[in-house]
């Protein structure tokens, strides 16, 4: 029998933002998921993405990489141990989307999209994707963003809204 002790946030604590909730959930995941953990963000560095083209997001700052699976030269995660992984990604575009325009965030496994979130006609859209993915050794996981505003736009670099995490389950 396995007993897990889950401590909710203190009653005096309010989860005022998605980041607070995300941080608390990440800490909860650390207690629930035994094994590989990976968490990266952009550390305040925005990234320009051209209109109409899927662009692989880059990650400049590591929070956790328990087995060194991230390839900074290829900006993707390389699976070191076979299993099922929960992949979490979030990104915010720096502009408003007019009617008929979209911002898309996708999780790619071995160069093919396996999950996506699409936002249309909103101010400063935030896309979030969570997907359980079965992986073999040397599979790659990357995050791509696409927007179709007609000109290059920035994905914000704030670690509060733009991040990439992997947990082996």
């Amino acid at each position: 029998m396995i007993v897990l002790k889950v401590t909710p946030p203190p009653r005096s604590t309010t989860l005022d933002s998605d980041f607070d909730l995300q941080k608390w959930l990440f800490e909860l995941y650390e207690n629930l998921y035994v094994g590989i953990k990976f968490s990266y963000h952009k550390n305040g560095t925005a990234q320009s993405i051209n209109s109409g083209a899927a662009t692989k997001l880059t990650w400049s700052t590591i929070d956790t990489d328990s087995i060194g699976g991230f390839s900074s030269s290829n900006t993707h995660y390389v699976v070191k141990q076979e299993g099922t992984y929960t992949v979490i990604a979030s990104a915010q575009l720096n502009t408003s989307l007019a009617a008929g325009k979209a911002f898309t965030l996708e999780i790619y496994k071995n160069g093919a999209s396996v999950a996506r979130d699409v936002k249309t006609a909103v101010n400063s859209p935030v896309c979030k994707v969570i997907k359980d993915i079965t992986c073999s050794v040397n599979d790659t996981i990357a995050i791509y963003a696409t927007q179709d505003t007609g000109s290059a736009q920035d994905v914000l670099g704030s670690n509060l809204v733009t991040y990439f995490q992997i947990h082996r389950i």
Side-chain angles (χ1 to χ4, degrees), residues 85-156:
Y85 292 77
T86 299
V87 180
I88 304 166
S90 176
Q92 182 174 12
L93 198 62
N94 71 328
T95 191
S96 298
L97 295 172
K101 301 299 180 184
F103 174 52
T104 304
L105 187 68
E106 297 179 271
I107 298 171
Y108 276 55
K109 175 185 169 188
N110 298 329
S113 178
V114 295
R116 74 176 50 143
D117 183 23
V118 180
K119 296 293 189 254
T120 59
V122 295
N123 294 328
S124 298
V126 177
C127 288
K128 295 180 181 179
V129 186
I130 300 173
K131 173 86 173 165
D132 289 342
I133 302 171
T134 301
C135 296
S136 299
V137 174
N138 292 323
D139 281 351
T140 60
I141 305 293
I143 307 303
Y144 282 75
T146 307
Q147 56 87 15
D148 65 356
T149 62
S151 62
Q153 300 294 332
D154 285 346
V155 167
L156 297 180

Side-chain angles (χ1 to χ4, degrees), residues 15-169:
L15 300 177
D16 291 328
S17 69
D18 283 344
F19 177 70
D20 290 338
L21 179 58
Q22 180 264 333
K23 184 176 178 183
W24 182 77
L25 286 173
F26 185 69
E27 290 171 4
L28 176 62
Y29 284 150
E30 286 186 325
N31 293 321
L32 294 176
Y33 294 118
V34 177
I36 298 164
K37 298 174 191 82
F38 162 84
S39 179
Y40 251 75
H41 60 84
K42 298 181 81 47
N43 199 32
T45 304
Q47 180 179 348
S48 181
I49 57 173
N50 291 324
S51 182
T55 302
K56 186 189 286 189
L57 295 184
T58 59
W59 308 98
S60 60
T61 301
I62 187 171
D63 285 328
T64 304
D65 189 352
S66 65
I67 62 167
F70 187 71
S71 170
S72 58
S73 62
N74 294 308
T75 64
H76 62 231
Y77 184 84
V78 179
V79 174
K80 303 290 186 184
Q81 184 177 353
E82 184 176 311
T84 301
Y85 292 77
T86 299
V87 180
I88 304 166
S90 176
Q92 182 174 12
L93 198 62
N94 71 328
T95 191
S96 298
L97 295 172
K101 301 299 180 184
F103 174 52
T104 304
L105 187 68
E106 297 179 271
I107 298 171
Y108 276 55
K109 175 185 169 188
N110 298 329
S113 178
V114 295
R116 74 176 50 143
D117 183 23
V118 180
K119 296 293 189 254
T120 59
V122 295
N123 294 328
S124 298
V126 177
C127 288
K128 295 180 181 179
V129 186
I130 300 173
K131 173 86 173 165
D132 289 342
I133 302 171
T134 301
C135 296
S136 299
V137 174
N138 292 323
D139 281 351
T140 60
I141 305 293
I143 307 303
Y144 282 75
T146 307
Q147 56 87 15
D148 65 356
T149 62
S151 62
Q153 300 294 332
D154 285 346
V155 167
L156 297 180
S158 170
N159 65 332
L160 302 178
V161 292
T162 303
Y163 52 85
F164 174 24
Q165 299 175 345
I166 295 177
H167 309 274
R168 185 171 182 270
I169 56 177

